[in-house]
Each structure stands twice: as C-alpha cells, then as structure tokens.
Amino acid sequence: RAARKAKRRARDKGSDAEGDAKVADVWSQLLREAEEGPARPSAGAAGGAGGGDGAAATGEGGEGADGAQAPASVLAASEKGREAFVLFCGPKQSGKSTMITHFLNPSKADDATKPTVALEYTFGRRSNTASTIKDIAHLWELGGGTHLSELLSVPLTPQRLPSAVVAIVVDMSKPGNVLDDLTTWLNLIQERVKECADKIKRSSPAKLAELEAAARERCGLTDAHPDARVVEPCLVPLVIIAAKYDAFHDEESARRKPLMQALRYVAHVHGAALICTHRREKNLLAHFRVMLNHFVFGTERKKTVAVDPAKPMLVQAGADTLEAIGAPPGATLTDVTEGTTTARMAPWRRAVAAYFPPAASEAEEDKRAEDEEARWMEPTVDAMRAQKNEELQRYVKEAERKLRLEAQQEARQGLTAGGVQLHALHGGSFVAAASLAG
C-alpha cells in the first residue's frame, strides 16, 4: 500500500506539469478511496469533464490540470485564493462538455468529446491579479439526464453554496423541448438549493440572510424595481446557455421570437443570465467566457446586452424587465405575472408549441429506457449493483461522520488557541472553510 501511495504521489506531481486529462466516474473513485483508507487531500475524481483537457488557457479561464488527485500546488493555492464551485447540468448531449472545454481551454474546443459518465470533475486555475496566488474553479458536469439528479448533492452543499455557480445548458437544435428541459432542471436546482438553505438557516440564520441579500443585489432588485414582486432570484448565480444556436438560427423570425422571449422571461424571473452560443461563433464564446468568469472569479461584469430575437441573445442577470420582454401571443402581462408558476408558464408553452411541438421529454425517454432494461434483467448483475450501491452509501455516511468529528475537534482546538483556519476535504474537494476567532 505504501508503494502504491508513493507511486501515486509521483504521478500527481508529474500531472501538474504535463496537464494530463483523465476520466474517472464518481463510483470508482469513492470505492477506491474506501478500500485505501481515509480520504486524502485531493481535488476529486478528475477529469476532462467529458472531453475537457483541464489545461486551461491563462487569463480568462486560468490554467488547470486533471488527475486522480490534485497537485500540491492546487491545494496550496486554494488555501489562500478565491475558490468557486461550478456545476454544468442539462439534458443529454446538449453541449455541456463542449462549453466546459471552451471555458477551460478554447484552443481545444473543436476536439471530439466523450459522453459524460455520471458526475465528472475537473478544475481550472486563474492568476490572481492582486497577488501571486491563483484562484481555483472546481467544475462538475452532470451527465446521464434527470434520473441522476440525486448527484446534485455532491457539488451543491450548504458549505459550498456561497461560492457555487450553476450553468444550465439547453439544446437549441431541439426547440420543442427547450422550455420543458429548462424548467425541469431549474426546479431540480431550486429543490437542492432549498435543502441547503434550510440547513444553513438552522445553523446560521444570519448567513442565509446574507445569501438572500447578495442574490437580490446581483439582480439589481430593490423595492423600486418594477419586477421586484415577480422575480425570485436563486441563491446561487444561474447562467442559462442556449447551445447549438446555429441549428436554430435559420428558422423564420416569427417562429424564433416566441421561444427567445420565453427564454428571456424564464431567465428574468429566476434572476439568471442568458446567452446563446454555438461552437463556431468565436464572439459569442468570448462573451460566454467573460460572463462565467464574472461569476466564478469575480472579474468585471460586462454590460453588453443583446435582445434582438433575430440574433443570438445575451442578457446579463437583472438587466431585463417584463415590460421589455412583453407577453406571448394571445396573452397579457397579467397572465405571466399572476398565479402559480405553472399558470404563468402556460401561455409561453402554448406560444412555443404552436411552432415547435414538444417531442418526447427527457423524463419520458428515461422511462422508456428503464422499461426496455427491465425486459433484459440479469439477477446476478443486479444483485452486485445493489451491493455496490449499499457500499457506496455506507462509505459516504462514514466519510461525512468523520468529517464532522474532525471539524468539531479542530473548532474546539481553535477556540482555545485563539484562532484557526479550518479546511475540510470531502470527496476530493473542499466542502468547508471557516475562520474561527478565539
């Protein structure tokens, strides 16, 4: 075991220089750690995020390296620099891996990507202009569709919530499914964020109040804002990415307008930013990188806004209004501002469906796949899978218990010593950073 660990440490040191990209799914990483012993300082089950190289360009996306463990330089930098936790989610094959690669390493964005396996991790570093340290961005990509949505609890935790960013990617080559896919993922994200917020409220109501105030400030919501009653910003910054826009751009203007208005409406009422992209339009991708860098690394926010439905849209969070968006055909603003969320979305769904009838939803496709799988059940394989599920759950619970005990012990030591900085590591990534004063 000692020899294996020494070999692994040597390999990790080399990975920082070579920028090797490795892909490992969450299951194999966690079970391997369970066999080898307590979790070690690591940046996670690494890599590539379904095709991302991890070796990000300096400046905008920073520089990164992927491997089974994070190099020591990454851990040292994260102790002092800014740290953000970014989740890319959305329907299958919507372009999530491509967008991550564009953010981390644009020069390799045209390389073929591999299908994402469950939840994949990579990271990027960016030089801090104020000092020699580097800021860290931990990036997760959730693949496999909505039936793996329970894995949202890995990147989105109460400890990470103040530094979390969520990017929802929708596929504009399937316009009939865009609204359903978007609202489905928004609901899943909101449910998980609410779970985290409830835990924060129990431990620190003041901290939750700070998060709520920051969300309203991010969207420019004041009592005087005309849409203050309607807009309900998420506690974490949201970026809605309408990918593969080139497949949608050739549609007639009258057909495009209802869907683009609907996207603006959904983004606005959730306090999200909206951007259309396609992999061959460098200008749009540059705007995407600038927008994400603002949320992730705290760089300057650009004021560029493009709302012409005949062109790709770019709307910053809080830069739109319901009056500017307008109402869908056959409805009024009252129809989309009063009543339940479902009732307010109904006019938009009808307007879009008039031109782009919805195809089978992702949930329906997953159900059909499960039914098909049930026809070819293999008891031996299923039993082994159930056993591995149980092993994984036991390991996660034990790791969380140890983490809590270590945090409590260090907190007690810090209170007696006068002050201490705690950095808790779990699942290969930082999940807590608290500064305690004596």
Side-chain angles (χ1 to χ4, degrees):
R1 182 180 301 175
R4 288 200 302 270
K5 290 183 177 180
K7 184 177 180 181
R8 188 178 298 108
R9 284 195 296 269
R11 181 188 64 202
D12 294 339
K13 292 179 180 178
S15 68
D16 191 31
E18 298 173 3
D20 293 335
K22 300 187 178 86
V23 178
D25 65 57
V26 175
W27 284 46
S28 61
Q29 176 69 7
L30 290 176
L31 293 176
R32 183 164 62 252
E33 289 181 357
E35 293 170 357
E36 294 176 355
R40 299 170 301 281
S42 164
D53 275 43
T58 57
E60 290 289 341
E63 61 180 44
D66 297 272
Q69 296 179 4
S73 60
V74 172
L75 298 178
S78 62
E79 291 180 356
K80 299 180 181 179
R82 182 187 180 103
E83 193 175 18
F85 305 91
V86 189
L87 169 66
F88 280 77
C89 60
K92 300 174 185 176
Q93 299 181 336
S94 57
K96 300 181 292 294
S97 300
T98 300
M99 299 313 301
I100 291 176
T101 306
H102 274 298
F103 179 62
L104 292 178
N105 196 346
S107 63
K108 295 192 176 183
D110 292 332
D111 294 354
T113 60
K114 299 177 182 179
T116 302
V117 179
L119 184 68
E120 293 184 358
Y121 169 87
T122 186
F123 66 87
R125 293 181 295 173
R126 184 180 189 276
S127 297
N128 191 314
T129 56
S131 64
T132 58
I133 63 176
K134 292 187 176 181
D135 298 331
I136 308 297
H138 304 274
L139 295 97
W140 284 267
E141 179 188 354
L142 179 57
T146 54
H147 75 284
L148 292 179
S149 60
E150 62 184 22
L151 293 178
L152 291 172
S153 60
V154 176
L156 297 178
T157 67
Q159 294 85 359
R160 293 173 178 163
L161 209 63
S163 303
V165 179
V166 176
I168 302 177
V169 185
V170 292
D171 186 355
M172 296 299 288
S173 68
K174 302 175 181 178
N177 288 2
V178 167
L179 275 188
D180 284 342
D181 289 339
L182 178 56
T183 53
T184 296
W185 281 102
L186 279 170
N187 290 337
L188 291 171
I189 295 297
Q190 288 177 322
E191 288 175 6
R192 178 54 191 166
V193 169
K194 186 179 184 302
E195 291 173 359
C196 295
D198 290 341
K199 293 180 180 179
I200 294 174
K201 185 177 182 179
R202 288 194 293 269
S203 61
S204 177
K207 185 176 181 180
L208 179 59
E210 290 178 3
L211 290 175
E212 293 172 342
R216 294 184 67 82
E217 181 180 357
R218 184 169 61 244
C219 299
L221 287 180
T222 63
D223 293 338
H225 194 287
D227 302 332
R229 183 178 58 85
V230 180
V231 177
E232 298 179 1
C234 185
L235 291 183
V236 301
L238 295 174
V239 180
I240 298 173
I241 304 170
K244 303 183 185 179
Y245 182 79
D246 50 324
F248 181 71
H249 184 264
D250 292 334
E251 295 286 346
E252 295 179 2
S253 178
R255 293 166 60 85
R256 285 200 308 267
K257 186 175 180 179
L259 179 54
M260 300 312 295
Q261 281 182 294
L263 287 177
R264 286 176 63 188
Y265 172 83
V266 174
H268 181 55
V269 297
H270 289 88
L274 169 66
I275 185 169
C276 298
T277 67
H278 65 84
R279 61 192 307 167
R280 292 182 178 83
E281 182 54 62
K282 303 302 182 184
N283 186 45
L284 294 176
L285 295 171
H287 280 297
F288 157 72
R289 283 165 58 83
V290 170
M291 178 182 287
L292 199 57
N293 269 293
H294 166 68
F295 291 121
V296 175
F297 294 117
T299 57
E300 181 183 0
R301 171 179 171 174
K302 301 299 182 182
K303 298 181 179 180
T304 306
V305 174
V307 293
D308 184 352
K311 299 178 181 179
M313 287 193 175
L314 168 60
V315 186
Q316 307 292 343
D320 221 336
T321 65
L322 290 174
E323 183 179 1
I325 296 170
T332 65
L333 281 179
T334 302
D335 296 329
V336 295
T337 57
E338 302 292 344
T340 64
T341 302
T342 301
R344 286 182 287 173
M345 282 301 301
W348 292 110
R349 294 183 189 279
R350 289 194 296 269
V352 174
Y355 295 106
F356 303 106
S361 67
E362 189 175 35
E364 292 172 343
E365 291 178 357
D366 289 341
K367 181 64 168 60
R368 280 203 297 268
E370 291 174 1
D371 293 341
E372 183 67 17
E373 182 180 352
R375 294 177 55 195
W376 310 102
M377 295 181 65
E378 298 185 33
T380 304
V381 175
D382 293 339
M384 180 58 67
R385 178 177 178 179
Q387 177 182 335
K388 293 300 181 183
N389 276 337
E390 293 176 0
E391 292 175 2
L392 176 61
Q393 293 299 324
R394 285 197 299 269
Y395 169 69
V396 170
K397 290 180 179 179
E398 180 64 19
E400 290 176 344
R401 186 185 68 83
K402 290 181 179 179
L403 184 63
R404 288 194 299 270
L405 292 176
E406 291 174 2
Q408 291 172 1
Q409 182 179 0
E410 292 186 24
R412 287 193 294 269
Q413 292 173 352
L415 289 173
T416 57
V420 65
Q421 182 78 13
L422 300 180
H423 293 291
L425 295 170
H426 169 51
S429 299
F430 295 95
V431 298
S435 181
L436 301 179

